[in-house]
Amino acid sequence: MLTYTPPQDPNLAKPTEKPWLLLLLTFIWLWPGIIGHDPWKPVEPFATAVVQGMLSTHNWLLPTTQGVPHLNSPPLYYWVASGFVKLFSPWLLTMPDAARLATPFFMAIALTLMGGAGRLLIGRRHGRSVVMILIGCIGLITTGHQMNPIVAGFAGFAAAFYALALALTSPGLAGAILGVGLVVTFLSTSLLEVVLIASVAALLPAFSAWRNKSYAITLILALLIAVPLALIWPMAFAKAHPAEFQQWWHYFALGPLNGIGHIQLFHQMGYYPQVVFWYCFPAWPLAAWALYRRRELNSPVLQLPLMFFAVVLILLTLSDRQAPEYAMPLLLPMAVLAAVELDTLKRGAAALFNWFGLMTFGFFGLLVWLGWLAMNFGWPAKLAERSAYFSPYYQPQVSTFAAVCALIASLVWVWAVTRRNLRGRQAVTNWVAGITLLWGLGLTLWLPWLDAAKSFRPVVEQMVDALPPNVSCVATEDRNRLARLSWEMYGNMKFKTFPKGSPDVPCDWRLMVRHKDDGLAEPGWTLMWSGSRPRDDIQFGLYQRTKQ
């Protein structure tokens, strides 16, 4: 069996960070934004409805929203979210908060696996560096805290990356983990993501470290595990719901792959490189330093992440997908590359990086505190006006506990970033502390304000108050899925639906959803109420049929 020992530089000073402190920082990073707010657009209202549907109908094969198939994603994330709802709702958490626990669950798995990959490829104490760089990337901060099935797919990619690194020393265990990673990815995303992983695995024998019988054992074992496990849900799905299975297979499973056959390079070529520039910051400058230091790409520590990054980037570019969240797998190899030469980063570069983080997070952290004062106490006055403009439904509310925790976190961050004799590892840790602080401040001090701006609850409650109490029939077009979900979630109201443009409206009252540029005038109907979320181009109108 081929053995691989990560290179160690005896001239490097040993890291001074305590592992438990870095573990605590990672744990803290996982939680801001997970608990304490309504489902937010664009994904969370639908994910919440799918979980509600599974729990109420006990149909675990077909994701639905209000009885309508919701086939955008396979059901693994929804299964896990439903399990957390059964465990913690309603006695401890609200239903959306309990379902959202699936996100830190999958994120913790992904971070653990990537820490293991860093230790395998780079050496002891470097796994924590990979994790720190990963959670410090700008692109992970939002998607990594949403109720979104793509987070489960991210864990699947992390399992595959770890398995490909582990194949150098333990091919049997690596094959098992790779197989499970493929299954998790398939049950969370689409065949495109499975093809991304399979392509990397198939091309790795281009490097001698993976060109051996041991790696062949890894691939064979992965297939033996992945294929039968991955087929369980589709076969049961096809048997129970053949029509819905056909729709899912053609449009959501195979659909992303079809885009590769219609290459539009001139239109799409620059999208993901531009996304990587901000999405993978600050990993990519550190990765560039590593490649500069190790110009000869003759080591697995560079070969695996470079192959992984190149294959995923090329296939995403050739696909018809264009959204930042699909770039999540690119963070994994970039974080590993960034950690390779982190301890050799020049002291001046580390100080500059630390200074940039200090100025950035210090400025925006101060802005969060000023915003909190403005929205709750009216000072500074100009900022209070802007606060009311962007979230007019917000009512001042001060949580003493949240304020004390935010103050302590701010003071700890100030202490951390004033350490002297910084090197690359300490600068990255300070960056992660800063981005965690900023996200934590925003999702504690500003959480009620953000919820009032992003949730549909205030709009729904206003409409329900405007509706006469004796009205039992309200209609809306069947295409208004988000409105139907929101009104059922916050107003316990179920609309009767009718096709778009149909003159046969089944009720004397109807809810219309329109773009603001289209206006609200409707012949034959009298507008009784109108409303919208703050700064949203979509407006809602409640109409009563005009009496002839």
Side-chain angles (χ1 to χ4, degrees):
M1 180 186 300
L2 179 67
T3 59
Y4 169 71
T5 303
Q8 302 291 334
D9 189 342
N11 297 321
L12 295 180
K14 292 185 177 180
T16 58
E17 278 85 355
K18 304 296 183 182
W20 69 269
L21 285 175
L22 298 179
L23 184 64
L24 178 62
L25 180 58
T26 304
F27 179 80
I28 293 173
W29 180 92
L30 288 170
W31 291 102
I34 298 299
I35 294 174
H37 65 84
D38 291 330
W40 292 346
K41 286 178 62 178
V43 180
E44 291 194 343
F46 295 99
T48 303
V50 170
V51 173
Q52 286 178 326
M54 285 187 170
L55 292 172
S56 61
T57 65
H58 302 288
N59 185 349
W60 305 102
L61 297 175
L62 175 62
T64 61
T65 58
Q66 296 180 323
V68 178
H70 185 80
L71 305 175
N72 300 60
S73 301
L76 178 61
Y77 183 91
Y78 305 125
W79 290 341
V80 175
S82 299
F84 280 115
V85 172
K86 280 182 169 290
L87 285 175
F88 298 111
S89 178
W91 64 276
L92 183 62
L93 297 172
T94 65
M95 186 269 176
D97 285 347
R100 208 178 285 114
L101 292 179
T103 293
F105 172 79
F106 282 111
M107 286 302 305
I109 292 174
L111 295 177
T112 301
L113 290 167
M114 290 309 299
R119 181 185 176 92
L120 286 171
L121 291 171
I122 312 173
R124 294 183 64 246
R125 302 186 181 90
H126 289 279
R128 69 188 75 163
S129 299
V130 173
V131 174
M132 287 292 107
I133 294 169
L134 192 56
I135 65 176
C137 288
I138 295 174
L140 197 61
I141 192 71
T142 301
T143 310
H145 295 87
Q146 290 179 338
M147 191 194 311
N148 192 333
I150 203 168
V151 176
F154 184 67
F157 271 96
F161 192 99
Y162 175 72
L164 295 175
L166 186 63
L168 297 172
T169 55
S170 301
L173 180 59
I177 295 174
L178 179 58
V180 172
L182 288 168
V183 173
V184 170
T185 304
F186 175 70
L187 292 179
S188 308
T189 52
S190 72
L191 282 179
L192 173 61
E193 283 75 11
V194 176
V195 169
L196 295 180
I197 295 174
S199 299
V200 176
L203 291 172
L204 271 179
F207 304 115
S208 60
W210 287 273
R211 196 185 310 128
N212 50 68
K213 293 181 180 180
S214 296
Y215 184 61
I217 293 174
T218 297
L219 297 183
I220 293 172
L221 185 58
L223 287 175
L224 291 175
I225 292 175
V227 172
L229 288 180
L231 287 177
I232 294 175
W233 171 70
M235 292 178 65
F237 182 23
K239 183 177 179 180
H241 308 280
E244 289 80 4
F245 172 80
Q246 290 294 329
Q247 182 183 2
W248 169 77
W249 181 254
H250 288 293
Y251 292 100
F252 296 97
L254 288 179
L257 284 176
N258 294 334
I260 296 179
H262 301 83
I263 301 174
Q264 300 178 9
L265 280 179
F266 294 106
H267 176 65
Q268 301 177 181
M269 195 170 190
Y271 180 78
Y272 283 104
Q274 292 177 23
V275 168
V276 166
F277 183 77
W278 65 268
Y279 202 83
C280 296
F281 188 85
W284 68 262
L286 298 172
W289 167 251
L291 295 176
Y292 172 77
R293 285 273 300 178
R294 299 193 183 187
R295 298 175 181 83
E296 297 182 2
L297 307 181
N298 55 2
S299 171
V301 71
L302 299 181
Q303 292 167 349
L304 173 57
L306 284 174
M307 176 67 78
F308 199 102
F309 182 85
V311 170
V312 173
L313 180 63
I314 291 171
L315 289 182
L316 283 177
T317 300
L318 298 182
S319 74
D320 59 357
R321 288 186 168 182
Q322 286 195 0
E325 63 183 18
Y326 295 124
M328 285 184 74
L330 295 174
L331 294 172
L332 304 177
M334 191 67 76
V336 173
L337 283 174
V340 171
E341 292 291 337
L342 183 61
D343 291 331
T344 67
L345 191 66
K346 300 296 185 182
R347 194 179 299 275
L352 179 62
F353 179 42
N354 189 66
W355 175 85
F356 177 71
L358 174 65
M359 294 296 101
T360 301
F361 298 122
F363 171 77
F364 286 106
L366 179 61
L367 188 62
V368 170
W369 275 107
L370 288 175
W372 178 75
L373 291 172
M375 68 181 65
N376 290 293
F377 302 102
W379 182 89
K382 290 292 185 182
L383 202 55
E385 292 178 5
R386 302 304 296 172
S387 170
Y389 173 78
F390 284 105
S391 187
Y393 299 129
Y394 174 71
Q395 298 295 322
Q397 48 185 296
V398 176
S399 169
T400 303
F401 177 75
V404 170
C405 290
L407 180 60
I408 293 174
S410 301
L411 294 176
V412 170
W413 175 77
V414 171
W415 167 80
V417 299
T418 54
R419 294 180 295 174
R420 296 183 178 181
N421 301 321
L422 285 175
R423 299 302 295 264
R425 190 182 294 258
Q426 291 84 5
V428 167
T429 303
N430 287 351
W431 174 274
V432 174
I435 202 168
T436 303
L437 170 72
L438 185 60
W439 183 255
L441 290 179
L443 273 298
T444 52
L445 297 178
W446 284 25
L447 185 59
W449 181 86
L450 289 169
D451 204 28
K454 296 174 71 66
S455 173
F456 282 92
R457 186 187 297 273
V459 180
V460 173
E461 291 176 346
Q462 285 186 0
M463 184 273 208
V464 171
D465 291 341
L467 190 68
N470 60 338
V471 174
S472 59
C473 181
V474 182
T476 193
E477 293 180 350
D478 53 11
R479 62 171 180 163
N480 298 329
R481 295 180 60 200
L482 184 57
R484 290 159 53 199
L485 291 176
S486 300
W487 261 258
E488 181 176 356
M489 185 179 301
Y490 304 122
N492 196 27
M493 177 183 296
K494 292 187 177 181
F495 295 104
K496 289 190 176 182
T497 60
F498 60 96
K500 175 186 176 182
S502 173
D504 299 326
V505 181
C507 303
D508 290 333
W509 291 79
R510 67 184 292 188
L511 179 74
M512 295 193 67
V513 183
R514 284 184 172 176
H515 194 277
K516 287 187 175 180
D517 293 340
D518 298 332
L520 287 171
E522 182 67 15
W525 296 84
T526 302
L527 179 65
M528 308 301 294
W529 167 89
S530 66
S532 66
R533 294 194 315 156
R535 319 282 76 80
D536 199 339
D537 291 334
I538 302 301
Q539 58 183 350
F540 305 94
L542 176 66
Y543 296 80
Q544 183 180 19
R545 197 189 304 271
T546 303
K547 296 180 180 180
Q548 301 297 329

